Every structure is written in structure tokens, then in C-alpha cells.
Amino acid sequence: MTVGKANALGAADASTASSDAQSGTAASKVEAGSGASGPAAGRTGSATAWIVSAGVFVVNLDLFIVNVAVPALSTSFDGASLASLSWVLNAYAIVFAALLVAAGRLADRYGHRLGFLLGLAVFTVASALCAVAPDVGWLVAARALQAAGAAALMPTSLALLLVATPAERRPRAIRGWAAIGGIAAGLGPVAGGLLVEADWRWVFLVNVPVGIAGLVAGVRLLPADRPDRSGPLPDLAGAVLLTLAIGSLALGLVKAEAWGWSSGRVLGSLAAAVILAATFWLRSARHPVPIVELPLLRIPAFAFATLAALLFTVAFAAMLLTSVLWCQQVWSYSAIRTGLAIAPGPLVVPVLAVASGPVVRRLGAGRTAAAGCLLFAGGLVWWALALDTSPHYAAAFLPGMLITGVGVGFALPTLVGAAATALPPGRFATGSAVTTMARQTGAVLGVAVMVGLIGEPRTAEAALTAFRHGWLTAAVVGALAVAAALALPRPAPAAAAPAKAPA
């Protein structure tokens, strides 16, 4: 039996959508007293909210529905290997990670309205190109183009929303905006299964009418802004270096089984990744507008929260990849049944992301995130011990999916929040972009490592052994995330209010 070729994870999960939207933008610079007011402004704000929500929804939904669709690509593309199909996922995550900060800063310079509309247009066109892809290479290139559009769309959406919303209504607008990711996560697996049952190309075509409607409405209704064109351009060459570095690392890991760990091609890919990453680091230290502002990494809480988020996302990416592969290729589930099987985990996340607030206030961000990472690792260990080639969904698969969902709900929003709150006010947008970039890099590594570990087993027993190795490896990475989260500095206890002087 050939264990199939699946997953489209990439880069996002519902609980952190609001962080992604804020990354690399001027959203955090909106002054408390600025923004829309009055009836006309209220109508403008409502129109803006609907338009940006539609754009952000299709970007988030795309990540989850493609997740269920990828196994069908193997059949459509003459049995393409898991290593080849992994680039459908990694191309998106790599390009999104590398372009996020640059796209946000270009939007600050040339206008958020222009950035959003351009991003939505590119994403829509790329979705149509994905739908008509004749081979894997075309699809990978179109996915990279999709990521470029998303990198322009996501950072500008919240900035537009905040500018068009009266100051007193902004917290509610942000909460509503963040809920879009949760809705996409809940609908994504099931919607993906339904669309794949018709044809995998519908997974991409569904974005096209929404994108066209958003563009038509956006041109007419999105408010104009006054961009600041002073100062140097962002480090576009640095973005290219980062793209090549992550891509070289992923190539070496994905091809390690086929080429051999000691082969010149694998060692050359890994060496190239190290050289490119070092060059990127040196360039970031000298450029006036770097992709990564290195001084931010000297803030302990930010550095440890970002490291924990990267490690956690490695394990999270591995979980999504293996859950789809296991259901469709080992248990022979249909696409819709796979979507229904996976859905309980994502549905838990937005509920716990909100409910975790009191826990964070009581235990601190580090302990709360560490508990979430530990639960997530426990869910993977559960699968390694409980799952067998005979389908036992309720007794074996579902508990692990729910445990990992609880872990995501406690860990990822807490880590993203801890990273953001550790930043000085003027660096919130840039720092959030760095955290998002780290998570996207973790997604690439998680997929690449799982591809190397799972390979192409030919028997059910070989598949079981390979998946168990994958789950236990991901659990170890989750345990490393626990250690990084526990290293977060605990906030100093609030000082008692001074006693009132007697009259």
C-alpha cells in the first residue's frame, strides 16, 4: 500500500488570524482619536468591515480547504509523490513568510487601500491559475503567487478597518475581525471535503467570485488613505535571501530520504540554507529597514515567545499533515469524511482562545502556553499509542484531535499575545510580523520533516511504524516548545496602591 500524499497546512490557524492581520502594517499607529465618525462614516466603516472580512475569510478558508484537497492531487497528477506535493504547501508558507513584512511596509508607503486591493487581485488571479493547473509545477508556482497576494492583503486589512471605525468601536471591530479565522477553521475541513467530492479544482475556484465581488466593492467603497512616502524602501533583497534560505532548508529535508542524508545534493541544500541565512542576518543588522529588526530579539519575553511559537508550529504543521494522510490514505476515508473527522479540533480552538484569558491572568502567559504545548504533545503521543490500521475513530482518533485542539487554543494565542505585549508601542506591527514569519517558517519545517519521516511506505505495518515515528518526533518538538514557553519571564506583581494620606 502506498501511503498517499497530502496536506496543505501552511500557515495559518484560526486562533492567530488577528495577529497576522496586524503584522507589518501601520494598524498599530492609528491614534485613539482618529478614525471615522458620524452616520456617513459609520456606513463607510460597515462597508470596509464587510469588504476586508471577505478578503481575509477566503485567505484563511483556503488554508484549511486545501488541506483536505491535496490527496486528490496525487490521482490527478499521475501519482505525484508526497515530496513533490509538499511544495504545494511549502511554496505558500515560504513566500508568505518572506514577503509579509516587506508587503506591509510597502503598503505603509504607498497606501493600505492600494495594498489591499492589489493583494486581493493577485490572490484571486492566482486562485484561478491554481484551478486550471495542468501539473504540479504550475500549481506550486500559482500557490507562491497566491501567497504574495495574501502577504499584501493580510497586513493591510486591519489597518483599513481601524481607520474606518470610530475609536470607541475599535475593540469590538478587532474581536469581530479575529473571529473570522475561527469561522474559517470550523468550516474549512468540511467545506474542503464537499468541494473535493465534486473536483479538487473547486477548492481554488471558490475564491474567485468572492475575490471579484470584493474588488468591485473595494474600488467603490474603501476609504482613501494618506501614505507616508518618506524614508527608505524595505529590504526587498533581504526578502529574497530569506525565501531562498527557507526554501533550501525545506528542499534538503524533503529530499533527504530520496537523495540520501549524506548525498551531495542534500548536504549542498543544507549548506546553502546556512550561508543564505547568515547573509540575511548580516544584511538585517545593517539595513535601515530590515525584514527582521534584530534588536527586538534582545527582548527576552519576545524572543522566547517567538521561539516557542516557531517550535509549536512545527508540531502543529506535522499534526495537520499526518491527520489528513492517516484518514485518507491509511483508513481510506473520503475527502468529506476526512473533513468531518478533523473538524472537532479546529472548532475547539476559537472557544478556548477566548476562554484562556482568565487562565493567563491567573497563571501567567508562560505557564498557560506551556500547558497548551504539553497537552498538544500529549495528543500526538495518544495517537502514537492508540491508533491502528483498523479504523476506530471515536475511541482512538477523536480523543487525540480534541486534546490537540485544546492545546492549540491555550498555546498559540497566548504565545502570540505574549510576544506582542513584550514589544515597545512603536514596534508592535513589526514585531508581530516577525512572530508570524517565525510561525510560517515552523510550518515549512513541520511539513518538510514529516515528509522525510513518513516517506512512501508500501504496507500497512510500514505505514503505522512511519506515522508513529512522525507523531513521536512532533511530540518531542512540542516538548521543546514547553521549555521555551516556561522560559518566558513572569510579569512582576502589580504594586499595591499607595495609601491615602490622612486629611
Side-chain angles (χ1 to χ4, degrees):
M1 179 187 86
T2 300
V3 174
K5 304 85 179 167
N7 178 63
L9 168 239
D13 75 85
S15 63
T16 55
S18 60
S19 169
D20 291 346
Q22 293 162 329
S23 300
T25 74
S28 62
K29 302 175 186 176
V30 178
E31 297 178 2
S34 64
S37 61
R43 289 192 294 272
T44 300
S46 296
T48 299
W50 280 106
I51 294 165
V52 301
S53 295
V56 172
F57 179 78
V58 293
V59 169
N60 279 280
L61 185 69
D62 185 75
L63 293 165
F64 286 94
I65 62 178
V66 174
N67 190 5
V68 180
V70 173
L73 299 176
S74 176
T75 303
S76 181
F77 295 141
D78 298 323
S81 68
L82 176 59
S84 296
L85 290 176
S86 70
W87 289 100
V88 176
L89 327 177
N90 284 342
Y92 189 99
I94 291 168
V95 172
F96 186 85
L99 295 185
L100 181 66
V101 178
R105 286 180 172 167
L106 285 172
D108 288 345
R109 187 183 183 92
Y110 295 108
H112 297 130
R113 180 179 184 272
L114 175 63
F116 179 85
L117 292 174
L118 181 61
L120 183 57
V122 170
F123 186 86
T124 303
V125 170
S127 296
L129 292 174
C130 287
V132 299
D135 53 44
V136 176
W138 176 300
L139 182 57
V140 169
R143 285 283 286 167
L145 188 62
Q146 262 194 325
L153 183 155
M154 292 292 285
T156 52
S157 58
L158 189 59
L160 285 169
L161 184 62
L162 292 181
V163 168
T165 304
E168 67 276 8
R169 289 169 52 193
R170 283 179 190 150
R172 180 180 177 185
I174 293 171
R175 287 194 299 271
W177 195 99
I180 297 170
I183 296 169
L187 292 177
V190 179
L194 288 169
L195 291 169
V196 171
E197 287 295 316
D199 191 310
W200 66 263
R201 298 179 190 275
W202 281 105
V203 165
F204 300 104
L205 282 173
V206 73
N207 299 329
V208 176
V210 179
I212 292 173
L215 285 168
V216 172
V219 168
R220 294 181 58 196
L221 299 173
L222 285 180
D225 50 356
R226 298 187 185 92
D228 179 7
R229 300 194 180 186
S230 62
L233 286 168
D235 186 12
L236 301 179
V240 174
L241 285 171
L242 180 61
T243 302
L244 295 175
I246 301 173
S248 297
L249 178 58
L251 177 65
L253 295 174
V254 165
K255 291 292 188 180
E257 183 190 33
W259 292 347
W261 280 100
S262 60
S263 70
R265 286 182 290 182
V266 169
L267 294 178
S269 297
L270 299 179
V274 172
I275 293 169
L276 289 164
T279 306
F280 169 76
W281 191 272
L282 291 173
R283 186 177 178 87
S284 296
R286 298 169 182 170
H287 198 279
V289 191
I291 299 300
V292 175
E293 291 189 9
L294 300 184
L296 295 178
L297 300 179
R298 292 198 287 268
I299 302 172
F302 177 79
F304 281 116
T306 300
L307 174 61
L310 185 152
L311 292 169
F312 184 82
T313 309
V314 172
F316 177 69
M319 182 275 291
L320 284 182
L321 169 61
T322 53
S323 63
V324 172
L325 283 171
W326 182 266
C327 286
Q328 293 203 38
Q329 303 298 331
V330 179
W331 279 358
S332 299
Y333 277 11
S334 66
I336 181 61
R337 193 174 181 186
T338 298
L340 291 169
I342 294 171
L347 287 171
V348 168
V349 173
V351 177
L352 287 176
V354 175
S356 62
V359 180
V360 173
R361 287 191 291 273
R362 182 177 180 84
L363 299 180
R367 291 182 179 182
T368 303
C373 295
L374 188 61
L375 282 168
F376 189 88
L380 294 170
V381 172
W382 172 275
W383 278 350
L385 298 175
L387 287 177
D388 198 271
T389 52
S390 299
H392 296 291
Y393 175 76
F397 188 87
L398 180 60
M401 181 56 69
L402 291 174
I403 293 170
T404 57
V406 172
V408 172
F410 279 113
L412 210 45
T414 304
L415 290 172
V416 171
T421 54
L423 294 166
R427 287 294 177 267
F428 173 72
T430 301
S432 294
V434 172
T435 304
T436 301
M437 186 188 307
R439 294 195 299 107
Q440 295 299 321
T441 303
V444 174
L445 295 177
V447 170
V449 169
M450 285 302 106
V451 169
L453 286 174
I454 293 173
E456 299 286 343
R458 300 289 176 179
T459 67
E461 286 306 313
L464 180 60
T465 300
F467 274 89
R468 283 177 173 168
H469 288 164
W471 287 323
L472 292 175
T473 300
V476 170
V477 178
L480 294 175
V482 172
L486 288 175
L488 278 169
R490 295 196 69 186
K500 240 183 171 181

